């Protein structure tokens, strides 16, 4: 990757986001780390700096237009125009539909889908300027749940289906401007915090499943993103799935 790449990764405090940010920085990109938890972001930034990379901590809430606008201004002031945006921030609520708290589902949609819309809209002007003379990428991290019907995952699946559809539409709108758009749908990934809020019985089931079906390490997701964004400028990989080889 050229050292001129300027990247922003949302949900960069842990899991897939932290792994992607670390990998991009290792390849020479200046990386802005966006998430709500400043302390966790600072740890990721310190690790990147220790390895010789460049990282900017940008605490922000993807559900707040004002917070995201402030983040965009901060990134612009420090790095200039963004040419690589990875929308990864997300959360998961798993509960049967009839029993589900609507407030939790609303938060799931606000973070997983509306957050992608808000962040992309805020950084799109910079991406457009970058696309005039250099490789520019928009990568949205969706989920296999976007295309599958999993009991208890109605809100999560619906939010991720929205992300996948949004990404396809964005590609149709932006391809002519030279902005490459990629929809990435991970399956079972190890090293994320998505299941941390599950009830004890559900966590036990997930752990049992992982013991019989080894999940993909977050580092492999990061490697895939690094591959996608280092293709020749005229090559786009629009839709990718990454999952354990035994996952059906």
């Amino acid at each position: 990757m050229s050292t001129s790449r300027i990247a922003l990764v949302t949900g960069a405090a842990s899991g897939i986001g932290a792994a992607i940010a670390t990998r991009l920085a290792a390849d020479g990109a200046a990386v802005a780390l966006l998430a709500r938890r400043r302390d966790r972001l600072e740890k990721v930034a310190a690790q990147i700096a220790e390895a010789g990379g460049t990282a900017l901590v940008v605490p922000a809430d993807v559900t707040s237009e004002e917070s995201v606008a402030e983040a965009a201004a901060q990134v612009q002031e420090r790095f200039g125009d963004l040419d690589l945006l990875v929308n990864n921030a997300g959360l998961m609520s798993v509960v049967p539909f009839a029993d589900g708290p609507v407030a939790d589902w609303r938060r799931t949609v606000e973070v997983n889908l509306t957050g992608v819309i808000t962040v992309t809209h805020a950084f799109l002007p910079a991406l457009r300027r970058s696309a005039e003379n250099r490789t520019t990428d928009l990568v949205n991290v969706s989920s296999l749940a976007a295309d599958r019907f999993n009991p208890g995952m109605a809100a999560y699946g619906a939010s991720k289906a929205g992300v996948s559809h949004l990404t396809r539409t964005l590609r149709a709108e932006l391809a002519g401007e030279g902005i490459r758009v990629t929809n990435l749908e991970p399956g079972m990934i190890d090293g994320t915090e998505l299941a941390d809020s599950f009830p004890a019985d559900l966590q036990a089931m997930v752990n049992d499943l992982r013991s019989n079906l080894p999940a993909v390490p977050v580092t492999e997701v990061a490697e895939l993103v690094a591959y996608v964004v280092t293709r020749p400028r005229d090559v786009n990989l629009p839709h990718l799935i990454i999952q354990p080889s035994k996952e059906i």
Side-chain angles (χ1 to χ4, degrees):
M1 177 184 297
S2 168
T3 55
S4 66
R5 295 304 295 265
I6 299 172
L8 175 105
V9 181
T10 71
S14 63
I16 292 175
I20 292 173
T22 301
R23 182 64 171 82
L24 295 176
D27 281 348
V31 183
L33 312 173
L34 190 152
R36 290 179 297 110
R37 298 173 292 179
R38 176 185 287 275
D39 58 332
R40 297 291 294 273
L41 289 176
E42 289 177 344
K43 290 181 180 179
V44 176
Q47 292 170 353
I48 289 174
E50 185 177 355
T54 301
L56 172 67
V57 171
V58 188
D61 181 352
V62 298
T63 68
S64 166
E65 288 187 51
E66 180 180 1
S67 181
V68 171
E70 291 175 356
Q74 187 177 351
V75 173
Q76 186 71 34
E77 181 179 2
R78 173 68 183 277
F79 292 145
D81 286 334
L82 199 74
D83 60 43
L84 172 52
L85 171 59
V86 180
N87 282 306
N88 166 76
L91 54 83
M92 181 186 294
S93 176
V94 179
V95 64
F97 185 80
D99 304 327
V102 174
D104 285 358
W105 288 344
R106 182 177 293 112
R107 178 67 179 171
T108 297
V109 174
E110 288 176 348
V111 172
N112 294 359
L113 176 56
T114 308
V116 174
I117 294 171
T118 303
V119 172
T120 303
H121 190 266
F123 285 93
L124 186 56
L127 293 175
R128 279 178 158 155
R129 289 191 295 268
S130 293
E132 293 177 2
N133 52 40
R134 64 185 195 263
T135 302
T136 303
D137 290 279
L138 168 60
V139 179
N140 290 337
V141 180
S142 181
S143 169
L144 273 183
D147 304 307
R148 299 184 179 181
F149 314 111
N150 301 305
M153 298 177 67
Y156 179 75
S159 69
K160 289 301 188 177
V163 171
S164 292
H165 188 77
L166 170 68
T167 309
R168 289 189 293 268
T169 303
L170 286 173
R171 183 173 186 275
E173 293 187 5
L174 300 175
E177 299 182 35
I179 299 176
R180 305 188 302 192
V181 181
T182 297
N183 182 49
L184 177 59
E185 296 185 348
M188 184 173 290
I189 307 299
D190 194 20
T192 75
E193 298 181 345
L194 284 178
D196 288 359
S197 61
F198 289 2
D201 58 340
L202 187 54
Q203 282 195 20
M205 182 186 73
V206 170
N207 291 335
D208 182 63
L209 180 60
R210 283 177 172 169
S211 66
N212 294 299
L213 181 69
V216 174
V218 290
T219 51
E220 288 297 325
V221 182
E223 289 290 335
L224 180 56
V225 171
Y227 177 81
V228 167
V229 302
T230 51
R231 295 311 85 209
R233 188 176 180 183
D234 292 332
V235 175
N236 182 204
L237 302 177
H239 182 200
L240 295 169
I241 294 173
I242 181 169
Q243 63 184 118
S245 57
K246 293 183 179 179
E247 183 178 14
I248 299 174

